[in-house]
Amino acid sequence: MKGTQLLVPHCITDTTITALVWLKSPQQTPELPLNIIISDCYAAFNPSNRMWEKFLTEIEKQEKRGDFSEDDYMLLRYSKEARNILMDKTLGDEEVFSEGTPKEVLEKAKENILRIEKERSDNLEKQIQKFNEVLKRFSAFVGRISYYTIFVVLFITIVLCLGLTLMNNFIEINCIKLAISSVILFVITIITVTSGDSIKSFAKKISLRIEKRIYNSLKSLFSN
């Protein structure tokens, strides 16, 4: 425009230069504004260099004085947790920072670490409980199958042995087969009589032992 003077400032910020360059060809780096916003937000959540140097100087002084142990000093100096708590306590204002700030940061950091460890421990305990429940259900399922299998096998065995014994009165049966069936029937009878259980109860006891053995074996296997 005629009569208008073009003024060039002696000094210009990097933000202004970046904006001017980006406006000339925004299609080349369309994500730049978003990245700048993210960068600014990240910087806002972290202490400034001056604040951090002040913090480090103070904790070094107190560590040499014996106020902090070596572990406490390492926690304050290198943990991300300490940086976050420092910002929460001071909101980035150096005027709020005092000699007691590092101690407050340390106490809060330890409290947070203990809380996180407890949450992890609780979550791990819940996972272990869920896993044990799965093992119990699986073992119980195998136990039920074992129970029905044992009961059916015993029942069929008794029926066959009794059948062979009774049929011997009407038809001639091989002596070996008859002897085997008699022995099996005798053994089953002795077991049920001495244990004081019926065939059903006997099968239940065996299946419970199998269930317990499977559960303990699987638990031991996965624990290792």
Side-chain angles (χ1 to χ4, degrees):
M1 184 180 294
K2 188 176 181 180
T4 302
Q5 293 182 348
L6 182 62
L7 299 177
V8 178
H10 298 289
C11 180
I12 189 170
T13 63
D14 60 335
T15 304
T16 303
I17 293 177
T18 302
L20 292 173
V21 173
W22 182 79
L23 286 172
K24 287 184 175 295
S25 54
Q27 68 280 0
Q28 292 186 6
T29 54
E31 72 283 355
L32 180 61
L34 178 60
N35 291 339
I36 291 176
I37 293 175
I38 294 174
S39 176
D40 291 342
C41 291
Y42 179 79
F45 281 101
N46 284 274
S48 63
N49 291 336
R50 186 173 175 180
M51 167 74 82
W52 187 242
E53 288 295 332
K54 191 174 182 179
F55 179 75
L56 293 180
T57 301
E58 185 62 35
I59 64 174
E60 287 175 3
K61 182 177 69 174
Q62 295 189 26
E63 194 266 340
K64 291 178 181 178
R65 198 168 60 197
D67 295 343
F68 296 139
S69 65
E70 184 177 352
D71 291 338
D72 293 340
Y73 173 77
M74 298 295 286
L75 175 63
L76 290 171
R77 183 179 180 87
Y78 296 108
S79 71
K80 180 65 177 175
E81 190 72 23
R83 285 177 174 265
N84 294 336
I85 296 172
L86 178 61
M87 284 298 294
D88 291 340
K89 293 289 184 181
T90 62
L91 299 178
D93 187 357
E94 296 181 27
E95 298 296 328
V96 179
F97 185 87
S98 65
E99 185 178 352
T101 301
K103 185 177 180 180
E104 295 176 2
V105 172
L106 178 63
E107 291 175 352
K108 187 64 177 179
K110 287 184 175 180
E111 179 183 330
N112 289 348
I113 290 173
L114 290 175
R115 176 178 52 80
I116 292 172
E117 289 299 323
K118 186 177 184 304
E119 290 176 355
R120 289 178 179 174
S121 178
D122 292 342
N123 290 334
L124 180 60
E125 185 66 26
K126 289 179 181 179
Q127 291 177 1
I128 292 175
Q129 290 178 357
K130 289 181 180 179
F131 182 71
N132 286 336
E133 288 298 323
V134 172
L135 289 183
K136 286 180 180 179
R137 287 197 295 268
F138 177 76
S139 302
F141 174 73
V142 175
R144 285 195 298 271
I145 294 177
S146 302
Y147 164 72
Y148 289 116
T149 302
I150 294 170
F151 178 76
V152 170
V153 169
L154 288 176
F155 181 78
I156 293 175
T157 302
I158 292 173
V159 170
L160 289 176
C161 292
L162 285 174
L164 289 174
T165 303
L166 294 175
M167 288 173 61
N168 186 51
N169 297 326
F170 302 98
I171 59 175
E172 186 176 349
I173 299 177
N174 186 285
C175 294
I176 296 177
K177 292 182 180 179
L178 183 61
I180 292 174
S181 64
S182 299
V183 170
I184 293 174
L185 187 60
F186 176 75
V187 170
I188 294 175
T189 303
I190 290 297
I191 291 175
T192 54
V193 170
T194 54
S195 62
D197 297 321
S198 63
I199 296 175
K200 187 175 182 180
S201 300
F202 178 74
K204 186 66 175 178
K205 279 187 176 181
I206 298 299
S207 65
L208 288 175
R209 290 182 181 179
I210 294 174
E211 177 182 337
K212 186 176 181 180
R213 177 64 63 86
I214 290 175
Y215 174 76
N216 291 333
S217 299
L218 290 175
K219 188 176 180 180
S220 176
L221 176 64
F222 287 106
S223 296
N224 296 331

